[in-house]
């Protein structure tokens, strides 16, 4: 049981806590009342504020909507006014631009194109919005007039500023490829830069807005004419320069070599004079071929115009390549890309056709020359064909994208030249074989026949054109190996051909030699011709080409030459037989000669004297042009005759076979030698 004191204390504690709780509760009630009051006041304020906002909104929103409508109306008015101004401007375009269009674009292309742009827009506007209006017809007519003026300006600029390229500049352009030294490229300015820019702008406008391609025809016609005239001018330059100075020159490039001008001959790709010059060199060494019968027209003394025409054509071909390359570069700036190849094809046709026609004329002339056996004219085909084949890669590159008919023109010409060249070679060989034997045409002194000199001269030409001539022969081969012939194959064909010509020549010479009644003169004739052939082969290096298929040719000719010398020497037997020991009478020293023996000795002396005089008189008029061979033959014969005569004199000069020894002993040994030294010398 809890003590009373402790229970009393406990009760007081509980009462105190209860009192505190009541006070707290009273405070909370008061706070809630105040909070309620504040809430009511706030609700009242917010309600009042909401009421005012609603009133404000009701009054502002109509004003805002009205303002917005006004702003929209204002914008519409401004747009309408702007559209009206824009539309009205189209109605004034014709008036504003008519003067500019009428005066043309010359000197003010920028302003003119600006006016054309305005007219173009006006045309588009009226077509879309008022297709039946008179204004549309008016601006259309103005646009067409303006377009025609631009086309006329294009033609005028191209005509006035397109100039032919001067021959000297073309020659510099061509020779630039052959220079070993690095030099500044020769640039061609077909049009001044300012003019070029105007032409480009007009062409682009005509394509984009003018819907016109006629200007491309105008372009290629004008440029085609300039290209053709430039090449013809070069050809004429060659003719004039050659007639005045003999060789056309390419002057120095002005901007680089003006202070120190030099004239340098244009590189000549191939001439037909080289072999003739070689022949002149041989003449100095006694290898002249004198006039003798031949139905081959001589190669010597040909008109230099043959070379001029050849060189002119060769350089015109090179000029075409360079000028065509330059024309294409110019064309790419002016003509739209998808029209460039076609326009270029049309542009080069006249110049290209001119070259091809001239080439075919050369082939035709060669064909006629073959018929009349004028093979020197045919030689013009060789340097031309070689140059065409060398230039063909550049040709092919320039003609990329052109029509097949255009690309095939050069290959067709090359084939024609190869065919006629091969025909000429074969006909030449046949003519060498079949050249007629005509007594009145044979050289009376037994010198080199004209047939021989012509044949060697023709073969010497082939040294400069070995690959070309070999290819000609190979092109006519029908074997499968010939379809892809190598240079070695061509070289062997050419060697075989040369050996064939030499063989035919040798057979013909043997036949001609029979015309001479005197076997000694026949031998001298063959000796001269064989010696001329051998020396010519050696000096012109033809012997190396012959040796490709005939390694013993040189030895064979030397044997033939020696055989003819021996044949000639036999002509002196009728002289030396009189004094040969085997034919002399035998007698005892100190024993008086019988009349028969004395008469025999007299006959020996007389026969020797008469024979010596006769042979010296006859053979003095014969010719051995080669000094070395002439001296060699004289010396050999002199030694033989002098030795025999010396022995004869030694035996009989002291024998009393006659009362008048001076009648029979007419010559001393030295005199006989002097007489033989005057053989083959008409001036002695």
């Amino acid at each position: 049981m809890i003590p009373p004191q402790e229970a009393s204390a406990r009760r007081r504690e509980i009462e105190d806590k209860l009192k505190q709780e009541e006070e707290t509760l009273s405070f909370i009630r008061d706070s809630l009342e105040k909070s309620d009051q504040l809430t009511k006041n706030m609700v009242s304020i917010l309600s009042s504020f909401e009421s005012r906002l609603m009133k404000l909104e009701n009054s502002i929103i109509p004003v805002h909507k009205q303002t917005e409508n006004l702003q929209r109306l204002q914008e519409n008015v401004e747009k309408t006014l702007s559209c009206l101004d824009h539309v009205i401007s189209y109605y004034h375009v014709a008036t504003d631009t008519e003067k500019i269009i009428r005066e043309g674009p010359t000197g003010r292309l920028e302003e003119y194109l600006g006016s054309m742009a305005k007219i173009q827009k006006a045309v588009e506007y009226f077509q879309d919005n008022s297709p039946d209006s008179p204004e549309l017809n008016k601006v259309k007519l103005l646009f067409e007039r303006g377009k025609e003026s631009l086309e006329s300006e294009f033609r005028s600029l191209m005509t006035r500023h397109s100039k032919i390229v001067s021959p000297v500049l073309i020659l510099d352009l061509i020779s630039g490829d052959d220079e070993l030294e690095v030099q500044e490229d020769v640039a061609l300015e077909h049009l001044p830069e300012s003019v070029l820019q105007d032409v480009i702008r007009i062409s682009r406008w005509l394509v984009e807005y003018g819907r016109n391609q006629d200007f491309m025809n105008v372009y290629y016609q004008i440029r085609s004419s300039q290209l053709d005239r430039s090449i013809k001018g070069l050809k004429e330059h060659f003719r004039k320069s050659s007639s005045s100075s003999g060789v056309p020159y390419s002057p120095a490039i002005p901007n680089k070599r003006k202070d120190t001008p030099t004239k340098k001959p244009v590189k000549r790709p191939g001439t037909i004079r080289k072999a003739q010059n070689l022949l002149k060199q041989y003449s100095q060494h006694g290898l002249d071929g004198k006039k003798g019968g031949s139905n081959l027209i001589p190669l010597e003394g040909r008109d230099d115009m043959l070379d001029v025409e050849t060189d002119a054509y060769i350089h015109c071909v090179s000029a075409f390549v360079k000028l065509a390359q330059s024309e294409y570069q110019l064309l790419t700036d002016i003509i739209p890309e998808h029209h460039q190849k076609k326009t270029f094809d049309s542009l080069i046709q006249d110049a290209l056709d001119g070259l091809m026609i001239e080439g075919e004329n050369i082939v035709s002339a060669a064909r006629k020359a073959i018929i009349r056996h004028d093979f020197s004219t045919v030689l013009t085909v060789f340097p031309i064909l070689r140059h065409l084949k060398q230039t063909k890669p550049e040709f092919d590159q320039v003609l990329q994208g052109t029509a097949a008919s255009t690309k095939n023109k050069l290959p067709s010409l090359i084939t024609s030249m190869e065919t006629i060249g091969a025909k000429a070679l074969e006909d030449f060989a046949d003519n060498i074989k079949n050249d007629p034997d005509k007594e009145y045409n044979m050289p009376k002194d037994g010198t080199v026949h004209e047939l021989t000199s012509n044949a060697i001269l023709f073969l010497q030409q082939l040294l400069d054109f070995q690959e070309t001539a070999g290819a000609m022969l190979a092109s006519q081969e029908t074997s499968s190996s010939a379809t892809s012939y190598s240079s070695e194959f061509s070289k062997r064909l050419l060697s075989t051909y040369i050996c064939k010509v030499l063989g035919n020549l040798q057979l013909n010479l043997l036949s001609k030699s029979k015309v001479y009644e005197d076997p000694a003169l026949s031998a001298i004739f063959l000796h001269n011709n064989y010696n001329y052939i051998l020396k010519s082969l050696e000096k012109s290096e033809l012997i190396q080409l012959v040796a490709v298929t005939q390694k013993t040719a040189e030895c064979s000719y030397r044997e033939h030459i020696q055989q003819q010398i021996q044949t000639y020497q036999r002509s002196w037997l009728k002289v030396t037989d009189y004094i040969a020991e085997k034919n002399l009478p035998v007698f005892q020293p100190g024993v008086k000669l019988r009349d028969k023996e004395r008469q025999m000795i007299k006959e020996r002396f007389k026969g020797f004297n008469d024979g010596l005089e006769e042979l010296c008189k006859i053979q003095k008029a014969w010719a051995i042009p080669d000094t070395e061979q002439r001296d060699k033959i004289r010396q050999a014969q002199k030694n033989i005759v002098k030795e025999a005569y010396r022995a004869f004199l030694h035996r009989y000069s002291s024998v009393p076979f006659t009362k008048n020894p001076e009648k029979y002993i007419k010559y001393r040994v030295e005199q006989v030698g002097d007489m033989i030294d005057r053989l083959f010398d008409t001036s002695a």
Side-chain angles (χ1 to χ4, degrees):
M1 185 174 179
I2 301 172
Q5 292 178 350
E6 185 177 347
S8 177
R10 182 75 178 265
R11 188 175 57 250
R12 282 195 300 275
E13 183 180 353
I14 292 171
E15 289 176 355
D16 289 339
K17 285 184 180 181
L18 182 59
K19 186 177 181 180
Q20 288 177 358
E21 291 295 334
E22 288 177 351
E23 290 176 354
T24 301
L25 181 60
S26 177
F27 176 75
I28 290 172
R29 286 195 184 99
D30 291 340
S31 296
L32 285 173
E33 290 177 358
K34 289 180 180 179
S35 177
D36 289 340
Q37 186 63 39
L38 290 172
T39 299
K40 290 179 180 179
N41 291 338
M42 181 57 69
V43 170
S44 176
I45 292 171
L46 289 174
S47 297
S48 175
F49 187 69
E50 182 180 7
S51 175
R52 292 179 180 180
L53 281 176
M54 288 180 65
K55 291 180 180 180
L56 180 61
E57 183 179 353
N58 292 332
S59 60
I60 290 299
I61 286 177
V63 174
H64 175 72
K65 289 182 178 180
Q66 186 176 7
T67 303
E68 190 179 44
N69 290 334
L70 290 173
Q71 289 177 342
R72 189 178 296 109
L73 289 172
Q74 183 179 1
E75 290 175 359
N76 290 337
V77 169
E78 290 176 353
K79 288 181 179 179
T80 301
L81 291 174
S82 176
C83 288
L84 287 173
D85 290 339
H86 183 65
V87 170
I88 291 171
S89 69
Y90 289 133
Y91 285 86
H92 293 292
V93 164
T95 303
D96 295 341
T97 59
E98 186 174 9
K99 181 180 179 182
I100 297 174
I101 300 303
R102 184 175 62 253
E103 293 176 354
T106 304
R108 52 174 181 179
L109 182 61
E110 189 72 28
E111 181 183 6
Y112 193 89
L113 291 179
S115 297
M116 289 298 293
K118 293 179 181 179
I119 298 171
Q120 173 72 15
K121 290 179 180 179
V123 171
E124 293 173 354
Y125 170 79
F126 288 120
Q127 284 178 335
D128 294 339
N129 298 280
S130 185
D132 298 328
S133 64
E135 285 78 8
L136 175 59
N137 293 331
K138 189 173 183 180
V139 291
K140 270 188 173 181
L141 290 173
L142 196 58
F143 181 81
E144 290 300 320
R145 188 190 305 170
K147 185 171 72 171
E148 291 174 0
S149 295
L150 284 172
E151 292 171 357
S152 297
E153 180 69 5
F154 183 89
R155 180 188 294 273
S156 176
L157 289 174
M158 291 298 302
T159 302
R160 284 188 286 116
H161 297 282
S162 289
K163 307 296 182 184
I164 64 171
V165 183
S166 68
V168 290
L169 186 56
I170 295 176
L171 290 174
D172 280 330
L173 190 68
I174 297 172
S175 62
D177 287 346
D178 301 325
E179 296 292 335
L180 295 179
E181 301 176 1
V182 178
Q183 294 186 354
E184 180 179 337
D185 291 337
V186 180
L188 293 180
E189 185 183 67
H190 295 290
L191 297 171
E193 183 61 28
S194 59
V195 174
L196 176 60
Q197 294 305 317
D198 285 350
V199 169
I200 291 173
R201 293 204 62 187
I202 293 174
S203 69
R204 289 177 178 174
W205 188 94
L206 290 173
V207 171
E208 185 174 358
Y209 301 106
R211 305 293 189 272
N212 182 288
Q213 297 181 5
D214 292 342
F215 77 94
M216 299 180 198
N217 297 332
V218 171
Y219 177 86
Y220 90 70
Q221 289 168 1
I222 294 173
R223 295 307 308 169
S224 175
S225 174
Q226 301 305 322
L227 175 61
D228 191 39
R229 289 171 59 196
S230 296
I231 294 176
K232 289 179 179 176
L234 176 63
K235 185 176 181 180
E236 186 63 27
H237 172 77
F238 259 85
R239 290 174 176 170
K240 291 181 179 178
S241 298
S242 298
S243 62
S244 60
S245 62
V247 178
Y249 288 99
S250 174
I253 301 175
N255 60 351
K256 294 298 290 182
R257 291 167 278 176
K258 186 175 182 180
D259 296 333
T260 57
T262 58
K263 286 189 175 182
K264 180 177 62 177
V266 174
K267 182 177 180 182
R268 299 165 72 88
T271 68
I272 63 170
R273 280 198 290 261
K274 184 175 180 181
Q276 295 170 359
N277 293 334
L278 287 173
L279 184 63
K280 293 177 183 177
Q281 295 174 11
Y282 303 156
S283 300
Q284 298 172 1
H285 295 84
L287 290 179
D288 289 324
K290 294 184 179 179
K291 293 290 181 181
S294 172
N295 68 339
L296 299 177
I297 296 178
L299 299 182
E300 294 181 83
R302 294 290 300 175
D303 191 349
D304 284 348
M305 284 305 294
L306 200 61
D307 269 347
V308 173
E309 293 298 327
T310 301
D311 287 344
Y313 184 74
I314 286 172
H315 283 83
C316 285
V317 170
S318 295
F320 172 81
V321 173
K322 292 298 180 183
L323 293 177
Q325 289 173 342
S326 182
E327 286 292 345
Y328 189 75
Q329 292 174 356
L330 177 66
L331 178 142
T332 55
D333 291 331
I334 299 173
I335 304 300
E337 184 176 358
H338 54 287
H339 291 286
Q340 289 173 2
K341 294 295 183 181
K342 182 179 179 181
T343 304
F344 180 69
D345 195 344
S346 301
L347 189 154
I348 62 174
Q349 284 303 315
D350 286 348
L352 181 59
D353 285 345
L355 288 176
M356 296 302 107
I357 291 173
E358 191 170 351
E360 290 297 340
N361 289 340
I362 292 171
V363 172
S364 178
R367 188 176 291 110
K368 294 177 182 177
I370 292 173
I371 295 175
R372 63 177 185 271
H373 303 152
D374 179 9
F375 294 98
S376 60
T377 301
V378 180
L379 290 173
T380 59
V381 172
F382 284 75
I384 292 173
L385 176 59
R386 180 176 66 180
H387 187 69
L388 289 179
K389 296 178 80 169
Q390 290 173 345
T391 313
K392 187 176 181 298
E394 289 185 271
F395 246 97
D396 293 342
Q397 184 177 7
V398 169
L399 300 183
Q400 280 183 353
T402 58
S405 58
T406 302
K407 294 177 182 177
N408 291 334
K409 287 181 179 179
L410 181 65
S412 177
L413 178 59
I414 289 175
T415 300
S416 296
M417 287 195 170
E418 282 190 330
T419 302
I420 198 64
K423 170 70 173 172
L425 292 176
E426 291 302 320
D427 279 26
F428 181 80
D430 291 341
N431 274 276
I432 292 296
K433 181 178 180 180
N434 301 320
D435 187 69
D437 300 325
K438 295 181 179 178
E439 184 175 352
Y440 61 87
N441 277 333
M442 292 293 289
K444 298 183 183 304
D445 57 1
T447 190
V448 179
H449 198 280
E450 187 179 32
L451 176 69
T452 303
S453 61
N454 281 352
I456 293 299
L457 190 57
F458 186 88
L459 294 180
Q460 286 165 354
Q461 284 293 293
L462 303 185
L463 284 175
D464 280 344
F465 310 105
Q466 293 184 40
E467 292 185 8
T468 303
M472 284 178 177
L473 296 170
S475 68
Q476 304 305 304
E477 290 292 314
T478 57
S479 62
S480 58
S481 60
T483 57
S484 58
Y485 55 86
S486 63
S487 59
E488 185 62 28
F489 176 74
S490 298
K491 190 173 184 179
R492 291 188 65 83
L493 281 178
L494 183 58
S495 176
T496 301
Y497 171 77
I498 292 175
C499 291
K500 176 183 177 181
V501 171
L502 293 176
N504 290 348
L505 176 61
Q506 187 172 340
L507 291 173
N508 200 317
L509 290 173
L510 281 171
S511 176
K512 290 182 185 301
S513 68
K514 297 175 182 177
V515 172
Y516 297 110
E517 295 180 359
D518 191 335
L521 180 56
S522 177
I524 290 297
F525 170 77
L526 290 176
H527 163 273
N528 284 334
N529 282 272
Y530 291 156
N531 183 63
Y532 178 86
I533 294 170
L534 177 61
K535 292 295 180 68
S536 298
L537 293 178
E538 291 175 336
K539 288 182 178 294
S540 65
E541 299 179 358
L542 269 171
I543 195 67
Q544 286 88 341
L545 196 53
V546 170
V548 172
T549 55
Q550 186 59 267
K551 299 187 183 302
T552 62
E554 186 174 0
C555 292
S556 178
Y557 273 111
R558 294 192 188 282
E559 290 176 2
H560 290 322
I561 291 169
Q562 192 59 39
Q563 287 173 2
Q564 299 310 318
I565 292 175
Q566 293 172 358
T567 300
Y568 162 75
Q569 289 175 340
R570 285 197 289 271
S571 69
W572 281 83
L573 289 177
K574 63 182 180 181
V575 175
T576 57
D577 278 351
Y578 282 106
I579 58 176
E581 187 173 352
K582 64 181 180 179
N583 296 325
L584 295 177
V586 180
F587 60 90
Q588 297 296 326
V591 179
K592 185 177 180 180
L593 295 175
R594 292 176 296 181
D595 290 343
K596 183 179 180 180
E597 291 174 337
R598 286 195 299 270
Q599 184 61 31
M600 184 178 293
I601 294 173
K602 291 178 182 178
E603 289 176 356
R604 298 296 183 217
F605 269 107
K606 186 177 185 303
F608 172 80
N609 292 335
D610 291 347
L612 175 67
E613 291 170 357
E614 180 185 359
L615 283 186
C616 287
K617 180 181 179 181
I618 293 173
Q619 294 184 9
K620 178 184 177 181
W622 296 356
I624 300 180
D626 188 332
T627 304
E628 181 182 348
Q629 285 290 312
R630 183 168 64 240
D631 292 343
K632 178 181 176 181
I633 292 174
R634 281 174 177 171
Q635 188 62 41
Q637 198 60 51
K638 185 168 64 174
N639 291 341
I640 294 172
V641 176
K642 284 178 64 177
E643 182 179 350
Y645 188 59
R646 183 180 288 109
F648 182 75
L649 280 181
H650 178 73
R651 186 167 185 174
Y652 291 105
S653 60
S654 58
V655 174
F657 67 91
T658 180
K659 294 180 180 180
N660 301 308
E662 66 278 358
K663 178 180 177 180
Y664 297 97
I665 307 177
K666 295 176 63 174
Y667 303 107
R668 299 188 308 275
V669 174
E670 290 73 16
Q671 287 179 308
V672 171
D674 291 342
M675 292 173 69
I676 295 175
D677 277 336
R678 290 193 290 272
L679 297 179
F680 318 116
D681 187 359
T682 56
S683 63

